[in-house]
Amino acid sequence: MADAVRHNLALFGPAGSGKGTQAGFLERELGVEHIATGEMLRQERSRGTELGQTLAAYLDAGKLVPDEVIVAMIRHRLADPQADAGFVLDGFPRTVAQARALQEMLASLERPLDAAVVLDVPTAQLIARLTLRARQENRSDDTPDVIAERLRIYHDETEAVLDYLGHSVPLVRVDGAQPVEEVSKAVLRAID
Ligand code: AMP
């Protein structure tokens, strides 16, 4: 019997580009595991553990948490049977060191990434969306200064990840400024 179709995907885009929304869509549509590092970190913080307290300083400042912390979290999730049908990474990898660690983990699981999908949205639109979300969700990292810092880090660190991954993984850019449903359709077409 042929192997079941698996989708091993990574979704990229700056804060406010709609990664969470589109990853949620792919989870429902394809039955893959949505692995969102930002969400995992916020949950850890809300548990009030010692690790959570350490993480809070990074989250509130919009800084990246240390690679070792995030890589250990991801290792755990990828090995979980929940991810057997595939996964969509949302917010990871964000540094080249994380991308290297990911490639090693996936090689040992014999599950290479099928595609990296990048959501492109103009900066002015990102700022408008994040400012609105700040009012709706009261997230500690959606203040103007922290938004600027998160966008800067994406530009400085995460764009380099795309260069790195692009050598071995099909990389597709999708116009993330379209209405949500159109973005979803474009993402599905991109990974087909
Ligand atoms: P997000 O919800 O993906 O925008 O992530 C919110 C925050 O969590 C980021 O600003 C970082 O502080 C932290 N974070 C999320 N993913 C990572 C990652 N892969 N590496 C380091 N820090 C991360």
Side-chain angles (χ1 to χ4, degrees):
M1 202 170 83
D3 282 346
V5 176
R6 273 175 172 173
H7 297 274
N8 303 327
L9 307 167
L11 205 50
F12 290 89
S17 60
K19 286 193 304 294
T21 303
Q22 296 304 331
F25 165 77
L26 291 173
E27 178 177 43
R28 292 189 301 279
E29 186 73 16
L30 305 174
V32 294
E33 179 79 344
H34 178 183
I35 302 180
T37 43
E39 202 48 48
M40 288 160 74
L41 295 167
R42 283 189 288 278
Q43 273 171 17
E44 186 68 39
R45 173 172 62 184
S46 67
R47 275 187 223 116
T49 57
E50 206 173 311
L51 174 62
Q53 286 171 22
T54 312
L55 294 175
Y58 292 96
L59 294 173
D60 290 345
K63 305 272 187 214
L64 296 183
V65 310
D67 290 332
E68 315 80 74
V69 174
I70 208 86
V71 167
M73 285 180 159
I74 287 283
R75 194 184 301 282
H76 186 72
R77 287 291 296 273
L78 287 176
D80 193 290
Q82 296 264 41
D84 277 354
F87 54 78
V88 53
L89 297 171
D90 161 5
F92 177 90
R94 267 169 146 104
T95 64
V96 172
Q98 291 179 14
R100 283 212 186 91
L102 174 67
Q103 296 286 65
E104 278 167 25
M105 284 185 261
L106 293 179
S108 67
L109 292 167
E110 297 184 11
R111 300 185 59 178
L113 274 183
D114 297 314
V117 180
V118 189
L119 301 178
D120 284 323
V121 179
T123 304
Q125 195 169 338
L126 293 172
I127 293 173
R129 287 183 186 180
L130 290 167
T131 309
L132 182 69
R133 186 168 80 183
R135 284 203 289 273
Q136 290 168 340
E137 295 181 16
N138 199 21
R139 260 177 63 161
S140 60
D141 57 355
D142 277 346
T143 61
D145 286 355
V146 180
I147 288 172
E149 178 66 358
R150 290 159 70 208
L151 295 178
R152 184 191 67 75
I153 291 176
Y154 182 83
H155 189 263
D156 289 358
E157 307 234 16
T158 311
E159 287 284 349
V161 173
L162 300 177
D163 290 341
Y164 170 79
L165 282 181
H167 295 293
S168 53
V169 179
L171 199 130
V172 224
R173 289 190 175 264
V174 167
D175 174 8
Q178 312 170 78
V180 175
E181 297 75 22
E182 295 305 315
V183 178
S184 298
K185 283 186 209 155
V187 169
L188 278 184
R189 277 198 302 274
I191 60 175
D192 203 7

